Amino acid sequence: RIQQGSADEFGGGIVCVGSTLDLHLAQFSNNKAGLSGGALFGVLCLMNSLSSIFENNHVFGVQGGGAMFFQSLSKIVVDKTTVKNNYAIGAGGGIAAVQCRDFFLSNSDIRENSASEGGGLYLIATLTPPKIENAVIHDNTARDGGGGGLLWDQKQPILLRTTLVQNSHRLQDDVMVMFAGNVGQYGN
């Protein structure tokens, strides 16, 4: 259990830099960070999460990632994990992945997260198309922009047997192409 951790900048619970992080039956709750990654921040990180819970984590900086923030060629595998009720001032209320090598989410529940955009998931400039399988993404909110459930740029996610329902957004400008309240994509 990692709870009530606090960081001025990155990763209120854990920071993973150039390392492998295997989480099994882990619980991250009530952690907070000043810039990004309320519970977990990773750069050049290989992260595997199995049967874990990320709840009630917060990030107060514009980079985002209420529960988790990854960047710079990180490889992320999230399986049988619940990401719920996390909050980001910036993007990615649940998980933010920016310029990551791989992103794979399966058998997981992403719910009740809130961010400026990409309320549930914020997947930007991944090197391969993100894969989301057997997931439920629901009741997330993008307060200022698009993609209540999911926002991506460049590589369109591959969604297999995934449900996106009752996510909400507020379209800020015409830079985004919107698909109901559930997903959004930058550009065209």
Side-chain angles (χ1 to χ4, degrees), residues 171-188:
L171 182 60
Q172 185 169 323
D173 56 37
D174 62 358
V175 176
M176 297 178 184
V177 177
M178 300 310 305
F179 303 94
N182 290 310
V183 298
Q185 174 187 13
Y186 279 121
N188 50 17

Side-chain angles (χ1 to χ4, degrees), residues 128-152:
T128 60
K131 294 175 187 78
I132 302 171
E133 186 174 319
N134 295 321
V136 178
I137 302 170
H138 63 98
D139 297 299
N140 298 287
T141 302
R143 299 180 310 276
D144 302 320
L150 164 64
L151 178 72
W152 78 87

Side-chain angles (χ1 to χ4, degrees), residues 18-31:
S19 300
T20 298
L21 178 62
D22 290 317
L23 303 172
H24 184 239
L25 298 172
Q27 183 175 359
F28 289 78
S29 61
N30 301 306
N31 298 289

Side-chain angles (χ1 to χ4, degrees), residues 35-50:
L35 291 179
S36 58
L40 173 58
F41 176 84
V43 70
L44 294 168
C45 177
L46 171 58
M47 194 282 297
N48 300 296
S49 174
L50 176 63

Side-chain angles (χ1 to χ4, degrees), residues 35-100:
L35 291 179
S36 58
L40 173 58
F41 176 84
V43 70
L44 294 168
C45 177
L46 171 58
M47 194 282 297
N48 300 296
S49 174
L50 176 63
S51 301
S52 295
I53 298 173
F54 291 80
E55 64 182 333
N56 301 320
N57 299 289
H58 294 82
V59 65
F60 301 103
V62 295
Q63 289 183 349
M68 297 176 250
F69 182 94
F70 297 96
Q71 67 182 18
S72 300
L73 305 178
S74 291
K75 296 173 93 173
I76 301 109
V77 176
V78 177
D79 187 31
K80 298 177 186 161
T81 293
T82 298
V83 179
K84 68 177 182 177
N85 198 33
N86 299 285
Y87 177 87
I89 294 256
I95 303 172
V98 178
Q99 297 178 333
C100 290

Side-chain angles (χ1 to χ4, degrees), residues 78-80 104-108 130-136 158-163:
V78 177
D79 187 31
K80 298 177 186 161
F104 180 70
L105 174 81
S106 64
N107 306 304
S108 294
K131 294 175 187 78
I132 302 171
E133 186 174 319
N134 295 321
V136 178
I158 298 168
L159 303 174
L160 301 170
R161 296 174 303 281
T162 292
T163 302

Side-chain angles (χ1 to χ4, degrees), residues 113-128:
N113 300 289
S114 177
S116 63
E117 56 186 3
L121 301 172
Y122 181 76
L123 308 174
I124 302 300
T126 56
L127 298 183
T128 60

